[in-house]
Amino acid sequence: MKLVNYIILSLVITAVGIACGGGDTAPAPAATTAPVATAVPKATATAVPKPTKAPVATAVSEPTPVPPTATPVTPTATPIPPTATPIPPTATPVPPTATPVPTPVFPSTDLFTSFSAGGWNASYAIDNGSLFLLSTETPESKSVESLNLDFIPAMVGQTHSNLKNQSLGFALHEYTRIELDINKGTQVVSIPAGKTPFKLDLNIAVSGKGSDGNPFSTIMLKEQYTRSDDSYPSAELSVPSNGIPDTDKYKPFSIPAPTAQGLFLATSQSNYDDNYGEVRVNNSEGYFVKKPTSTLRVGLFGDVKSEDYETIRDYIEVLAVVAPDLDIAWANNISEVTLPIHLLSCTELINETIDQHCNTSGPSGGFSDQWGSGNLATGWGFIRVSDQQMGSRHTLTHELGHAVGLWHSGVDGVSMGPPNNQAGYWAAHDLMVVALVNNSAVVSGQTREEIRVEFNIADDELQGFINNPATLSNTPDAAWVELGDKLKTQFDNSSMGKRLQGG
């Protein structure tokens, strides 16, 4: 039996870890040894490290017995070199580089102004978009139970009570309350950036409660704080592709003639029952019609979802045939907006200071017609919808109805009807009234009687609804029913409609 000896070479490669620093230094990864393929797998390579220098690979060759065969094996005269097996590189994980967080640099002490809140004495300074609080005592040590920084919007020349209307609702986004740590005497808070392109100054206050439970609030700044222009989002407004309306969707459509039923609903308001009363238009009460301006430019602001754009898109398409004289479209710039729609969370600060109807524990909405000022040249009004609800399409539809001239009614199954039986879409009665209000022959503030004469509606027919408001539930013209059914199908197929159906 002949023995053939092979010399086995083993190569040991020691990989060195890479430490990346930035702020805190990240630990280096453990050394990685890359394996090398061996020509004959039965040979064993043993690496013997030495303490004073790099490890040296020691090759150990053992004779390999060859089992006897019937035909003797003749050694090959020319040795066959081993086939090189490619060794894929071993990936060495690189730890992420830590981004250092800059430590705020406190302004010079001569820039600080003293104040007192709830018995806690401190001083403040504003620098580089941050508010610095400095005190040798903690609020907790002065029996302060809770402490906040309140950022409250302000407009030059406007009182706080009318700020909501004069800003066309944009002020609602800028009420920010930041809770402070009562166990710290020194704190730094970033001043909130503008949440919409509408520019508003800020009043800054410290509020809270003492250990006795009594609230307190202290305005810190003597003058309103003006944020830099780059702290606001772009004034240009964009609409996603799913929000682009097809204004030919419902064409051709023939608007039925105005009726006494539509006239009654257009000029009086119900408490969601058969008790209909006068309405207020231009600071006067009576049986009037309230008609929007001929041009409406819409913008969505706040916590806007994709389906909100779809909701407004759907009603722009409907209004193209129901109210063809009403020019309603998306605004391209903040300066064009005349009907902003604000979707936001109702906070305690908003509820306390500017809008007591902004429900903090459930859904709520409202429409306010108000000619704006400030950064907007004109404005018909604004819609506010809280987002503490399953979906906003139902509430948006109702409030948009108010924006185009609808009042509440006692008719079941329509958008403007009783909340416990209210449609999430414009039903036949709603569409009938929208068309009458936005007829080119109607003027905002016009009386019921003037409109009756204009459209040659019989007085006794109108008197019938006045004497028996329950008959207002009578089915309107078939054209309105057909269009209302299409909108119902559209609503049922919407994300909110499917949720309501358990889908």
Side-chain angles (χ1 to χ4, degrees):
M1 179 176 64
K2 295 181 181 181
L3 302 177
V4 180
N5 296 329
Y6 292 87
I7 299 175
I8 315 298
L9 297 180
S10 298
L11 180 60
V12 179
I13 301 173
T14 302
V16 181
I18 302 173
C20 296
D24 297 332
T25 303
T32 304
T33 303
V36 180
T38 308
V40 181
K42 291 183 180 179
T44 304
T46 305
V48 181
K50 293 182 181 181
T52 56
K53 49 183 159 181
V56 178
T58 304
V60 179
S61 179
E62 296 288 346
T64 306
V66 180
T69 59
T71 303
V73 178
T74 304
T76 304
T78 303
I80 300 173
T83 303
T85 302
I87 303 171
T90 302
T92 302
V94 179
T97 303
T99 302
V101 178
T103 302
V105 179
F106 269 71
S108 172
T109 55
D110 58 0
L111 297 178
F112 280 79
T113 302
S114 299
F115 72 94
S116 180
W120 179 57
N121 296 316
S123 57
Y124 76 90
I126 296 177
D127 186 55
N128 198 27
S130 294
L131 189 145
F132 298 80
L133 296 175
L134 191 61
S135 177
T136 58
E137 301 173 312
T138 67
E140 193 273 339
S141 69
K142 306 304 291 184
S143 299
V144 173
E145 186 178 280
S146 65
L147 195 66
N148 310 298
L149 267 181
D150 294 338
F151 297 91
I152 303 171
M155 289 176 66
V156 176
Q158 299 297 329
T159 62
H160 186 68
S161 60
N162 66 3
L163 179 63
K164 179 178 65 174
N165 288 337
Q166 289 302 310
S167 68
L168 276 179
F170 281 97
L172 291 165
H173 298 276
E174 305 301 331
Y175 286 81
T176 305
R177 171 168 284 173
I178 297 176
E179 185 177 357
L180 297 174
D181 190 340
I182 61 173
N183 295 307
K184 291 182 179 180
T186 300
Q187 302 186 55
V188 182
V189 175
S190 296
I191 296 176
K195 296 181 178 65
T196 76
F198 191 95
K199 295 178 180 178
L200 288 163
D201 290 341
L202 294 174
N203 286 321
I204 303 178
V206 178
S207 67
K209 288 184 179 180
S211 58
D212 56 3
N214 291 326
F216 59 82
S217 180
T218 301
I219 297 291
M220 298 171 63
L221 278 64
K222 295 181 180 179
E223 296 180 356
Q224 297 167 358
Y225 176 75
T226 300
R227 292 173 285 193
S228 60
D229 290 346
D230 59 7
S231 69
Y232 293 91
S234 172
E236 299 299 317
L237 305 178
S238 60
V239 176
S241 58
N242 66 320
I244 305 300
D246 174 12
T247 53
D248 292 328
K249 182 174 181 177
Y250 298 103
K251 293 180 180 179
F253 181 83
S254 180
I255 301 177
T259 63
Q261 183 184 21
L263 177 58
F264 184 98
L265 291 170
T267 53
S268 57
Q269 178 162 229
S270 165
N271 293 318
Y272 293 127
D273 53 26
D274 289 338
N275 296 311
Y276 287 82
E278 297 180 343
V279 294
R280 178 175 289 275
V281 176
N282 299 330
N283 295 321
S284 299
E285 285 191 344
Y287 296 105
F288 303 110
V289 69
K290 182 166 67 175
K291 180 177 181 176
T293 53
S294 59
T295 300
L296 294 180
R297 289 294 176 263
V298 183
L300 296 179
F301 303 93
D303 184 17
V304 183
K305 300 176 179 62
S306 177
E307 62 191 70
D308 298 323
Y309 284 103
E310 294 175 358
T311 297
I312 301 304
R313 173 204 68 192
D314 293 345
Y315 288 107
I316 291 177
E317 293 172 346
V318 173
L319 289 167
V321 295
V322 173
D325 295 322
L326 177 62
D327 178 13
I328 180 170
W330 293 109
N332 297 312
N333 188 285
I334 186 67
S335 62
E336 298 176 0
V337 176
T338 58
L339 181 60
I341 299 174
H342 306 293
L343 298 109
L344 49 90
S345 296
C346 292
T347 65
E348 183 178 306
L349 185 59
I350 292 175
N351 185 265
E352 289 175 356
T353 55
I354 192 171
D355 190 349
Q356 62 179 342
H357 301 294
C358 201
N359 189 356
T360 60
S361 59
S364 65
F367 168 71
S368 299
D369 59 312
Q370 174 70 42
W371 290 96
S373 61
N375 291 31
L376 298 181
T378 59
W380 162 236
F382 66 90
I383 291 172
R384 191 265 307 153
V385 176
S386 69
D387 59 5
Q388 296 106 326
Q389 53 187 322
M390 185 168 56
S392 58
R393 186 180 183 97
H394 187 288
T395 309
L396 260 180
T397 298
H398 180 91
E399 300 306 335
L400 185 61
H402 284 309
V404 294
L406 298 183
W407 302 106
H408 290 155
S409 82
V411 180
D412 286 330
V414 304
S415 176
M416 310 311 290
N420 60 346
N421 192 10
Q422 195 176 81
Y425 56 92
W426 285 348
H429 288 77
D430 304 307
L431 295 166
M432 170 181 63
V433 180
V434 169
L436 186 149
V437 171
N438 291 278
N439 189 294
S440 59
V442 174
V443 178
S444 185
Q446 199 168 6
T447 67
R448 175 186 290 174
E449 180 61 17
E450 290 172 335
I451 298 173
R452 185 192 69 78
V453 172
E454 177 70 31
F455 291 128
N456 197 27
I457 296 172
D459 181 61
D460 60 344
E461 187 177 357
L462 178 61
Q463 197 63 42
F465 290 110
I466 295 174
N467 295 335
N468 187 8
T471 58
L472 291 168
S473 297
N474 293 348
T475 303
D477 189 281
W480 298 128
V481 175
E482 182 180 351
L483 183 55
D485 288 344
K486 291 180 180 179
L487 299 187
K488 180 182 185 303
T489 300
Q490 188 178 65
F491 174 78
D492 290 342
N493 291 332
S494 69
S495 56
M496 182 182 179
K498 291 178 180 178
R499 288 194 296 268
L500 292 174
Q501 297 169 48

PDB file of all heavy atoms in Angstrom, residues 3 22 28 67 75 86 129 139 165 180 182-183 211 217-218 261 282 307 309 356 381 402 416 477 493:
ATOM      1  N   LEU A   3       1.350   5.353   0.277  1.00  0.00           N
ATOM      2  CA  LEU A   3       0.739   6.526   0.922  1.00  0.00           C
ATOM      3  C   LEU A   3       1.140   7.757   0.144  1.00  0.00           C
ATOM      4  O   LEU A   3       2.304   7.923  -0.224  1.00  0.00           O
ATOM      5  CB  LEU A   3       1.206   6.644   2.385  1.00  0.00           C
ATOM      6  CG  LEU A   3       0.904   5.439   3.270  1.00  0.00           C
ATOM      7  CD1 LEU A   3       1.483   5.671   4.663  1.00  0.00           C
ATOM      8  CD2 LEU A   3      -0.589   5.251   3.363  1.00  0.00           C
ATOM      9  N   GLY A  22     -19.333  59.976  16.708  1.00  0.00           N
ATOM     10  CA  GLY A  22     -20.059  61.210  16.446  1.00  0.00           C
ATOM     11  C   GLY A  22     -20.878  61.460  17.671  1.00  0.00           C
ATOM     12  O   GLY A  22     -21.874  60.811  17.891  1.00  0.00           O
ATOM     13  N   ALA A  28     -16.580  49.092  18.952  1.00  0.00           N
ATOM     14  CA  ALA A  28     -16.105  48.403  17.754  1.00  0.00           C
ATOM     15  C   ALA A  28     -16.639  46.992  17.742  1.00  0.00           C
ATOM     16  O   ALA A  28     -16.707  46.327  18.764  1.00  0.00           O
ATOM     17  CB  ALA A  28     -14.567  48.370  17.760  1.00  0.00           C
ATOM     18  N   PRO A  67      -7.086   2.646   1.096  1.00  0.00           N
ATOM     19  CA  PRO A  67      -7.539   1.258   1.156  1.00  0.00           C
ATOM     20  C   PRO A  67      -7.076   0.463  -0.059  1.00  0.00           C
ATOM     21  O   PRO A  67      -6.941   1.036  -1.151  1.00  0.00           O
ATOM     22  CB  PRO A  67      -9.064   1.394   1.209  1.00  0.00           C
ATOM     23  CG  PRO A  67      -9.339   2.708   0.613  1.00  0.00           C
ATOM     24  CD  PRO A  67      -8.167   3.558   0.952  1.00  0.00           C
ATOM     25  N   PRO A  75       0.749   6.562  -8.832  1.00  0.00           N
ATOM     26  CA  PRO A  75       0.766   8.013  -8.606  1.00  0.00           C
ATOM     27  C   PRO A  75       0.865   8.778  -9.921  1.00  0.00           C
ATOM     28  O   PRO A  75       1.568   8.365 -10.839  1.00  0.00           O
ATOM     29  CB  PRO A  75       2.000   8.232  -7.730  1.00  0.00           C
ATOM     30  CG  PRO A  75       2.375   6.880  -7.214  1.00  0.00           C
ATOM     31  CD  PRO A  75       1.875   5.870  -8.189  1.00  0.00           C
ATOM     32  N   PRO A  86     -13.625  30.130  -4.826  1.00  0.00           N
ATOM     33  CA  PRO A  86     -13.735  31.561  -4.482  1.00  0.00           C
ATOM     34  C   PRO A  86     -14.377  31.737  -3.110  1.00  0.00           C
ATOM     35  O   PRO A  86     -15.345  31.076  -2.764  1.00  0.00           O
ATOM     36  CB  PRO A  86     -14.632  32.138  -5.583  1.00  0.00           C
ATOM     37  CG  PRO A  86     -15.377  30.960  -6.123  1.00  0.00           C
ATOM     38  CD  PRO A  86     -14.448  29.785  -5.991  1.00  0.00           C
ATOM     39  N   GLY A 129     -35.069  80.943  18.126  1.00  0.00           N
ATOM     40  CA  GLY A 129     -36.246  80.088  18.042  1.00  0.00           C
ATOM     41  C   GLY A 129     -36.518  79.249  19.269  1.00  0.00           C
ATOM     42  O   GLY A 129     -37.372  78.359  19.226  1.00  0.00           O
ATOM     43  N   PRO A 139     -40.205  74.520  40.231  1.00  0.00           N
ATOM     44  CA  PRO A 139     -41.619  74.845  40.477  1.00  0.00           C
ATOM     45  C   PRO A 139     -42.222  73.977  41.578  1.00  0.00           C
ATOM     46  O   PRO A 139     -43.035  74.441  42.371  1.00  0.00           O
ATOM     47  CB  PRO A 139     -42.275  74.571  39.122  1.00  0.00           C
ATOM     48  CG  PRO A 139     -41.179  74.746  38.127  1.00  0.00           C
ATOM     49  CD  PRO A 139     -39.945  74.248  38.802  1.00  0.00           C
ATOM     50  N   ASN A 165     -62.682  84.357  13.921  1.00  0.00           N
ATOM     51  CA  ASN A 165     -63.349  84.747  12.685  1.00  0.00           C
ATOM     52  C   ASN A 165     -62.466  85.604  11.796  1.00  0.00           C
ATOM     53  O   ASN A 165     -62.453  85.457  10.573  1.00  0.00           O
ATOM     54  CB  ASN A 165     -64.648  85.486  12.998  1.00  0.00           C
ATOM     55  CG  ASN A 165     -65.721  84.557  13.523  1.00  0.00           C
ATOM     56  OD1 ASN A 165     -65.706  83.359  13.286  1.00  0.00           O
ATOM     57  ND2 ASN A 165     -66.664  85.113  14.270  1.00  0.00           N
ATOM     58  N   LEU A 180     -44.381  71.513  31.191  1.00  0.00           N
ATOM     59  CA  LEU A 180     -43.035  71.685  31.720  1.00  0.00           C
ATOM     60  C   LEU A 180     -42.793  70.716  32.874  1.00  0.00           C
ATOM     61  O   LEU A 180     -43.741  70.255  33.524  1.00  0.00           O
ATOM     62  CB  LEU A 180     -42.834  73.122  32.205  1.00  0.00           C
ATOM     63  CG  LEU A 180     -42.929  74.212  31.132  1.00  0.00           C
ATOM     64  CD1 LEU A 180     -42.849  75.596  31.761  1.00  0.00           C
ATOM     65  CD2 LEU A 180     -41.831  74.052  30.084  1.00  0.00           C
ATOM     66  N   ILE A 182     -41.900  70.083  36.480  1.00  0.00           N
ATOM     67  CA  ILE A 182     -41.919  70.889  37.713  1.00  0.00           C
ATOM     68  C   ILE A 182     -40.735  70.569  38.622  1.00  0.00           C
ATOM     69  O   ILE A 182     -40.538  71.236  39.630  1.00  0.00           O
ATOM     70  CB  ILE A 182     -43.245  70.691  38.487  1.00  0.00           C
ATOM     71  CG1 ILE A 182     -43.423  69.228  38.909  1.00  0.00           C
ATOM     72  CG2 ILE A 182     -44.427  71.168  37.672  1.00  0.00           C
ATOM     73  CD1 ILE A 182     -44.624  69.001  39.813  1.00  0.00           C
ATOM     74  N   ASN A 183     -39.937  69.580  38.248  1.00  0.00           N
ATOM     75  CA  ASN A 183     -38.765  69.231  39.042  1.00  0.00           C
ATOM     76  C   ASN A 183     -37.479  69.848  38.497  1.00  0.00           C
ATOM     77  O   ASN A 183     -36.386  69.525  38.958  1.00  0.00           O
ATOM     78  CB  ASN A 183     -38.601  67.708  39.110  1.00  0.00           C
ATOM     79  CG  ASN A 183     -39.739  67.046  39.852  1.00  0.00           C
ATOM     80  OD1 ASN A 183     -40.045  67.412  40.982  1.00  0.00           O
ATOM     81  ND2 ASN A 183     -40.377  66.080  39.216  1.00  0.00           N
ATOM     82  N   SER A 211     -50.733  73.697  44.374  1.00  0.00           N
ATOM     83  CA  SER A 211     -51.094  72.521  45.164  1.00  0.00           C
ATOM     84  C   SER A 211     -52.493  72.648  45.758  1.00  0.00           C
ATOM     85  O   SER A 211     -53.115  71.654  46.126  1.00  0.00           O
ATOM     86  CB  SER A 211     -50.066  72.307  46.278  1.00  0.00           C
ATOM     87  OG  SER A 211     -49.991  73.471  47.104  1.00  0.00           O
ATOM     88  N   SER A 217     -52.314  81.844  35.385  1.00  0.00           N
ATOM     89  CA  SER A 217     -51.761  82.069  34.049  1.00  0.00           C
ATOM     90  C   SER A 217     -51.092  83.431  34.028  1.00  0.00           C
ATOM     91  O   SER A 217     -51.657  84.418  34.527  1.00  0.00           O
ATOM     92  CB  SER A 217     -52.866  82.007  32.983  1.00  0.00           C
ATOM     93  OG  SER A 217     -52.333  82.220  31.696  1.00  0.00           O
ATOM     94  N   THR A 218     -49.898  83.482  33.464  1.00  0.00           N
ATOM     95  CA  THR A 218     -49.123  84.722  33.410  1.00  0.00           C
ATOM     96  C   THR A 218     -48.587  84.925  31.997  1.00  0.00           C
ATOM     97  O   THR A 218     -47.894  84.053  31.461  1.00  0.00           O
ATOM     98  CB  THR A 218     -47.935  84.677  34.388  1.00  0.00           C
ATOM     99  OG1 THR A 218     -48.432  84.469  35.714  1.00  0.00           O
ATOM    100  CG2 THR A 218     -47.134  85.959  34.331  1.00  0.00           C
ATOM    101  N   GLN A 261     -91.732  73.945  -1.421  1.00  0.00           N
ATOM    102  CA  GLN A 261     -91.066  73.086  -0.447  1.00  0.00           C
ATOM    103  C   GLN A 261     -89.592  73.496  -0.283  1.00  0.00           C
ATOM    104  O   GLN A 261     -89.108  73.659   0.845  1.00  0.00           O
ATOM    105  CB  GLN A 261     -91.152  71.633  -0.917  1.00  0.00           C
ATOM    106  CG  GLN A 261     -90.564  70.612   0.033  1.00  0.00           C
ATOM    107  CD  GLN A 261     -90.624  69.201  -0.574  1.00  0.00           C
ATOM    108  OE1 GLN A 261     -90.729  69.037  -1.804  1.00  0.00           O
ATOM    109  NE2 GLN A 261     -90.570  68.193   0.281  1.00  0.00           N
ATOM    110  N   ASN A 282     -76.894  88.798   7.906  1.00  0.00           N
ATOM    111  CA  ASN A 282     -76.442  90.200   7.943  1.00  0.00           C
ATOM    112  C   ASN A 282     -76.950  90.920   9.190  1.00  0.00           C
ATOM    113  O   ASN A 282     -77.452  92.051   9.132  1.00  0.00           O
ATOM    114  CB  ASN A 282     -76.894  90.959   6.682  1.00  0.00           C
ATOM    115  CG  ASN A 282     -76.321  90.343   5.419  1.00  0.00           C
ATOM    116  OD1 ASN A 282     -75.231  89.768   5.436  1.00  0.00           O
ATOM    117  ND2 ASN A 282     -77.051  90.473   4.325  1.00  0.00           N
ATOM    118  N   GLU A 307     -58.940  60.787   2.131  1.00  0.00           N
ATOM    119  CA  GLU A 307     -60.381  60.730   1.890  1.00  0.00           C
ATOM    120  C   GLU A 307     -61.050  62.103   2.032  1.00  0.00           C
ATOM    121  O   GLU A 307     -62.131  62.324   1.488  1.00  0.00           O
ATOM    122  CB  GLU A 307     -61.035  59.730   2.835  1.00  0.00           C
ATOM    123  CG  GLU A 307     -60.895  60.073   4.306  1.00  0.00           C
ATOM    124  CD  GLU A 307     -61.322  58.922   5.200  1.00  0.00           C
ATOM    125  OE1 GLU A 307     -60.611  57.914   5.246  1.00  0.00           O
ATOM    126  OE2 GLU A 307     -62.382  59.045   5.848  1.00  0.00           O
ATOM    127  N   TYR A 309     -59.829  64.910   0.793  1.00  0.00           N
ATOM    128  CA  TYR A 309     -59.749  65.480  -0.553  1.00  0.00           C
ATOM    129  C   TYR A 309     -60.810  64.867  -1.459  1.00  0.00           C
ATOM    130  O   TYR A 309     -61.429  65.558  -2.279  1.00  0.00           O
ATOM    131  CB  TYR A 309     -58.363  65.241  -1.149  1.00  0.00           C
ATOM    132  CG  TYR A 309     -57.288  66.156  -0.602  1.00  0.00           C
ATOM    133  CD1 TYR A 309     -56.368  65.708   0.335  1.00  0.00           C
ATOM    134  CD2 TYR A 309     -57.205  67.482  -1.023  1.00  0.00           C
ATOM    135  CE1 TYR A 309     -55.389  66.546   0.846  1.00  0.00           C
ATOM    136  CE2 TYR A 309     -56.224  68.333  -0.525  1.00  0.00           C
ATOM    137  CZ  TYR A 309     -55.325  67.863   0.416  1.00  0.00           C
ATOM    138  OH  TYR A 309     -54.362  68.699   0.924  1.00  0.00           O
ATOM    139  N   GLN A 356     -65.563  77.227  22.512  1.00  0.00           N
ATOM    140  CA  GLN A 356     -66.143  76.343  23.513  1.00  0.00           C
ATOM    141  C   GLN A 356     -66.926  75.197  22.886  1.00  0.00           C
ATOM    142  O   GLN A 356     -67.261  74.216  23.557  1.00  0.00           O
ATOM    143  CB  GLN A 356     -67.066  77.143  24.434  1.00  0.00           C
ATOM    144  CG  GLN A 356     -68.257  77.773  23.720  1.00  0.00           C
ATOM    145  CD  GLN A 356     -69.157  78.542  24.664  1.00  0.00           C
ATOM    146  OE1 GLN A 356     -69.101  78.351  25.872  1.00  0.00           O
ATOM    147  NE2 GLN A 356     -69.991  79.419  24.114  1.00  0.00           N
ATOM    148  N   GLY A 381     -66.147  82.286   4.589  1.00  0.00           N
ATOM    149  CA  GLY A 381     -66.266  81.693   5.907  1.00  0.00           C
ATOM    150  C   GLY A 381     -65.305  80.531   6.029  1.00  0.00           C
ATOM    151  O   GLY A 381     -64.441  80.327   5.174  1.00  0.00           O
ATOM    152  N   HIS A 402     -73.966  73.816   4.970  1.00  0.00           N
ATOM    153  CA  HIS A 402     -74.158  75.162   5.526  1.00  0.00           C
ATOM    154  C   HIS A 402     -73.424  76.205   4.689  1.00  0.00           C
ATOM    155  O   HIS A 402     -73.939  77.309   4.459  1.00  0.00           O
ATOM    156  CB  HIS A 402     -73.625  75.216   6.960  1.00  0.00           C
ATOM    157  CG  HIS A 402     -74.510  74.560   7.976  1.00  0.00           C
ATOM    158  ND1 HIS A 402     -75.852  74.837   8.077  1.00  0.00           N
ATOM    159  CD2 HIS A 402     -74.238  73.645   8.948  1.00  0.00           C
ATOM    160  CE1 HIS A 402     -76.382  74.133   9.066  1.00  0.00           C
ATOM    161  NE2 HIS A 402     -75.421  73.391   9.609  1.00  0.00           N
ATOM    162  N   MET A 416     -78.951  67.487   6.377  1.00  0.00           N
ATOM    163  CA  MET A 416     -79.232  68.565   7.314  1.00  0.00           C
ATOM    164  C   MET A 416     -80.299  68.192   8.337  1.00  0.00           C
ATOM    165  O   MET A 416     -80.740  69.027   9.114  1.00  0.00           O
ATOM    166  CB  MET A 416     -79.668  69.828   6.554  1.00  0.00           C
ATOM    167  CG  MET A 416     -78.747  70.220   5.408  1.00  0.00           C
ATOM    168  SD  MET A 416     -76.979  70.258   5.840  1.00  0.00           S
ATOM    169  CE  MET A 416     -76.931  71.674   6.911  1.00  0.00           C
ATOM    170  N   ASP A 477     -88.887  66.351  -6.478  1.00  0.00           N
ATOM    171  CA  ASP A 477     -88.865  65.979  -7.887  1.00  0.00           C
ATOM    172  C   ASP A 477     -87.973  64.749  -8.104  1.00  0.00           C
ATOM    173  O   ASP A 477     -86.954  64.563  -7.444  1.00  0.00           O
ATOM    174  CB  ASP A 477     -88.347  67.161  -8.716  1.00  0.00           C
ATOM    175  CG  ASP A 477     -88.498  66.920 -10.200  1.00  0.00           C
ATOM    176  OD1 ASP A 477     -87.661  66.189 -10.760  1.00  0.00           O
ATOM    177  OD2 ASP A 477     -89.431  67.492 -10.800  1.00  0.00           O
ATOM    178  N   ASN A 493     -69.851  53.429  -0.742  1.00  0.00           N
ATOM    179  CA  ASN A 493     -68.598  52.861  -1.232  1.00  0.00           C
ATOM    180  C   ASN A 493     -67.365  53.569  -0.669  1.00  0.00           C
ATOM    181  O   ASN A 493     -66.236  53.148  -0.942  1.00  0.00           O
ATOM    182  CB  ASN A 493     -68.542  52.915  -2.762  1.00  0.00           C
ATOM    183  CG  ASN A 493     -69.549  51.966  -3.395  1.00  0.00           C
ATOM    184  OD1 ASN A 493     -69.902  50.937  -2.806  1.00  0.00           O
ATOM    185  ND2 ASN A 493     -70.015  52.303  -4.581  1.00  0.00           N
TER     186      ASN A 493
END
